[in-house]
Amino acid sequence: MPEIASTLRVLPPSPWTARPGARTAWRCEPAPVEVRAFHATLPDYAPTPLTELPALAAELEVGRVFVKDESARLGLPAFKALGASWAVHRILAERAAGARPGPVTLVTATDGNHGRAVARVARLLGQRAHVFVPRGVHPRAVSAITAERAKVTEVPGPYDEAVRLAAEAAREADAVLVQDTAWPGYERIPGWIVEGYSTLCAEIDEQLAAAGAVAGPGLVAVPVGVGSLAQAVVTHYRSRPRAQAPALLAVEPQAAACVLESLTRDAPVSITTGETSMAGLNCGTPSSIAWPHLRNGLDAAVAVSDADAARAAARLAGLGVSSGPCGAAGLAGSRAALIGPGSGPRRTALGIGPSSVVVLLSTEGADANPHPAHATAG
């Protein structure tokens, strides 16, 4: 839409970094194929929609735009249940093989969606859950976790502090930490969570092929917190032949751009985060197992404002896609990269032209992360 584009172009460029050669210089092993088969056995499993939005293609000056709509994944309003279900499945299978019967307490920290997913899986499987919630998470999101019969501990500090307290609580007998970020010494379970997200990418392959986009995407924009979903996306697309490698764009809040800062410094760093409506992305430290994939496999990273995310969420809502500010970050970041200030060099860095196919990962629905209406039009 011309009015939107002109409004964006009078703003300063969004923080950005590009990594030349990511599409051609690095490859990794694919995710296990049995993950998708496991998810297909779950009662509520169905592929989430991949919705084509021609209006966004015109706005972003590309050939086609598809939005992967995660607003109703396994009965929850976000993609996180994919990782939580696979990880808990692996944890309980391992405990059964080790002759450790009886219920277990699944402990985690969350900005909202992951904790609710762990709590839901625990309830369905007859296990207990204890969820640590940092400041800034909307009370309705906290209530949704409590409704899953989980014990909730609200933490007055940021996400990283909630993770630390959850790790301490998980040292109790018959407790297991199910955290979707990793650090040295705690990497196996976060790795299972990342594997769980691979189902989302496998669905996209099938859905693009069904829509006639058999060559796959030219760009995938993924919202990033600690980087676990981005790790899954990098794993999926960087384990393929080079001819099929799309550009991968990480999108973060300006108040919590730990991955962009780490890429800029070429080393993982922790940052002090601020307040943001993108609560699920308000993370200050990249996951240790994600970092090598992000460093080597991402083409670029961009940070967007809360207002950018709110406008993007309103735009998606107007086009029939329910998306919270975290989910809409992919559109906000794509706008900044493809039509915002300095977009010419950015499009070149991403290899994007007028016939390119763009996939936006809308990781949550509007109900997942209640937020004030910063904008009423996209």
Side-chain angles (χ1 to χ4, degrees):
M1 309 297 289
E3 296 81 7
I4 295 167
S6 62
T7 300
L8 289 170
R9 288 194 176 102
V10 300
L11 299 174
S14 300
W16 161 275
T17 188
R19 312 283 291 181
R23 293 191 293 284
T24 59
W26 186 78
R27 288 295 177 270
C28 61
E29 292 298 314
V33 295
E34 59 265 30
V35 178
R36 178 73 183 284
F38 163 76
H39 284 135
T41 68
L42 300 179
D44 292 335
Y45 173 74
T48 54
L50 185 72
T51 304
E52 184 168 10
L53 298 176
L56 288 187
E59 177 186 329
L60 297 177
E61 301 172 15
V62 297
R64 304 176 78 177
V65 171
F66 295 85
V67 176
K68 183 63 167 166
D69 180 359
E70 292 293 306
S71 62
R73 171 65 78 175
L74 291 170
L76 294 174
F79 76 101
K80 292 285 190 175
L82 290 173
S85 60
W86 174 246
V88 172
H89 167 72
R90 294 294 305 268
I91 290 166
L92 297 181
E94 189 172 81
R95 288 177 65 85
R100 298 176 66 186
V104 64
T105 299
L106 306 174
V107 183
T108 194
T110 186
D111 281 321
N113 293 327
H114 172 70
R116 186 177 179 186
V118 171
R120 169 67 62 88
V121 173
R123 179 174 65 80
L124 292 177
L125 297 178
Q127 309 299 322
R128 300 180 294 261
H130 185 182
V131 181
F132 288 76
V133 179
R135 67 169 182 248
V137 176
H138 195 282
R140 279 171 53 193
V142 177
S143 296
I145 298 171
T146 304
E148 300 291 348
R149 303 177 193 167
K151 176 182 177 181
V152 173
T153 298
E154 297 191 54
V155 178
Y159 174 80
D160 286 4
E161 176 67 7
V163 171
R164 184 185 68 79
L165 293 174
E168 289 181 359
R171 294 177 187 147
E172 299 291 331
D174 292 320
V176 178
L177 184 66
V178 190
Q179 198 58 57
D180 56 345
T181 187
W183 54 88
Y186 180 73
E187 296 178 330
R188 188 171 58 150
I189 290 174
W192 289 339
I193 291 172
V194 171
E195 289 176 356
Y197 299 154
S198 65
T199 291
L200 184 156
C201 299
E203 292 174 1
I204 291 173
D205 287 347
E206 296 166 359
Q207 291 166 322
L208 284 178
V214 292
L219 172 67
V220 180
V222 53
V224 172
V226 298
S228 294
L229 176 60
Q231 179 187 351
V233 172
V234 169
T235 298
H236 184 76
Y237 290 107
R238 299 297 181 246
S239 59
R240 305 175 134 203
R242 284 173 173 79
Q244 299 178 10
L248 303 178
L249 173 66
V251 186
E252 297 174 281
Q254 290 180 358
C258 65
V259 169
L260 189 152
E261 183 66 20
S262 297
L263 291 172
T264 300
R265 299 190 188 192
D266 201 30
V269 298
S270 295
I271 64 169
T272 300
T273 61
E275 298 297 323
T276 175
S277 64
M278 291 171 272
L281 308 181
N282 194 3
C283 307
T285 305
S287 170
S288 66
I289 58 171
W291 170 246
H293 291 72
L294 306 182
R295 179 188 182 277
N296 295 307
L298 287 173
D299 291 82
V302 66
V304 298
S305 70
D306 283 8
D308 294 332
R311 282 190 290 268
R315 178 72 164 134
L316 289 171
L319 295 171
V321 176
S322 173
S323 186
C326 295
L331 173 56
S334 296
R335 283 172 161 176
L338 302 181
I339 59 172
S343 61
R346 294 180 178 191
R347 291 177 75 100
T348 299
L350 295 170
I352 297 304
S355 63
S356 296
V357 174
V358 174
V359 172
L360 311 176
L361 304 188
S362 179
T363 51
E364 64 176 24
D367 292 340
N369 178 25
H371 62 289
H374 294 287
T376 56

